[in-house]
């Protein structure tokens, strides 16, 4: 509704991994939106699927967070437990609660820029980090390699 009120005429709401309708210039995943892929496997599935949604010279713009940039002992311990159990340190599990209402437990991926670049390269993407913040937040642009 808000997008239509602001003049966007073609608004879609769908699961991006099953969406097949359209060729777009850009897929935008701000607000750490890449986190919806939940884990590294989900990231690979996303990177393999999304070219079907983009025009030849299309791009993905995304923000994420390198969670290693912290001094919080609770966060550092969580990362350590992930690594010791064979998971990537940025794969987190969350649950929202409001008053006595609890939502379901779900996964979220905070991927550092170097790991994003590695998986992007493995799946046919170029990864350019456009901006990095001292707190670990960053903005990246993914484009398909020309021979893809």
């Amino acid at each position: 509704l808000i997008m239509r009120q602001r003049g966007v005429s073609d608004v879609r709401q769908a699961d991006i991994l099953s969406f097949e309708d359209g060729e777009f210039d850009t897929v935008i995943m701000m607000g750490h939106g890449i986190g919806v892929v939940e884990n590294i496997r989900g990231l690979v599935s996303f990177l393999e699927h999304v070219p079907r949604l983009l025009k030849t010279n299309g791009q993905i713009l995304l923000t994420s967070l390198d969670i290693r940039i912290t001094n919080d002992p609770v966060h550092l311990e969580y990362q350590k437990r992930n690594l010791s159990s064979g998971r990537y340190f940025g794969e987190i599990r969350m649950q929202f609660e409001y008053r006595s209402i609890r939502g379901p437990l779900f996964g979220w991926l905070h991927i550092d820029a170097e790991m994003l670049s590695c998986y992007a390269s493995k799946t046919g993407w170029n990864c350019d980090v456009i901006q990095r913040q001292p707190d670990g937040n960053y903005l990246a642009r993914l484009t398909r390699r020309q021979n893809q």
Side-chain angles (χ1 to χ4, degrees):
L1 177 64
I2 292 171
M3 292 176 72
R4 285 200 175 99
Q5 290 172 343
R6 294 189 177 170
V8 178
S9 60
D10 187 2
V11 178
R12 318 275 180 101
Q13 179 180 342
D15 175 348
I16 197 161
L17 293 179
S18 60
F19 186 75
E20 299 278 347
D21 186 28
E23 285 190 327
F24 300 92
D25 296 316
T26 305
V27 170
I28 299 175
M29 304 185 85
M30 298 300 172
H32 301 176
I34 193 65
V36 300
V37 302
E38 296 190 26
N39 53 43
I40 295 296
R41 267 192 343 251
L43 176 66
V44 170
S45 295
F46 169 78
L47 293 173
E48 290 174 344
H49 173 76
V50 81
R52 291 176 242 173
L53 305 179
L54 290 170
K55 293 180 181 173
T56 303
N57 293 320
Q59 64 182 347
I60 303 169
L61 295 176
L62 66 91
T63 59
S64 194
L65 173 67
D66 184 343
I67 64 170
R68 295 173 297 179
I69 300 176
T70 184
N71 292 324
D72 185 318
V74 172
H75 296 168
L76 293 169
E77 184 59 32
Y78 190 94
Q79 294 170 34
K80 191 171 151 184
R81 282 194 315 268
N82 266 359
L83 291 172
S84 68
S85 65
R87 291 189 308 271
Y88 173 68
F89 59 83
E91 294 178 4
I92 65 173
R93 303 287 293 162
M94 295 192 296
Q95 182 176 42
F96 291 108
E97 181 176 347
Y98 176 73
R99 296 189 180 166
S100 62
I101 302 169
R102 281 191 185 169
L105 193 63
F106 64 96
W108 195 262
L109 179 66
H110 290 295
I111 187 158
D112 67 276
E114 292 72 27
M115 189 67 81
L116 174 64
S117 184
C118 175
Y119 280 96
S121 180
K122 288 178 182 181
T123 54
W125 296 89
N126 295 312
C127 178
D128 297 307
V129 177
I130 297 169
Q131 184 179 54
R132 287 182 195 254
Q133 299 295 320
D135 64 359
N137 283 287
Y138 69 93
L139 169 65
R141 177 177 185 247
L142 302 180
T143 54
R144 293 296 284 170
R145 287 199 298 258
Q146 292 303 315
N147 60 353
Q148 296 297 312

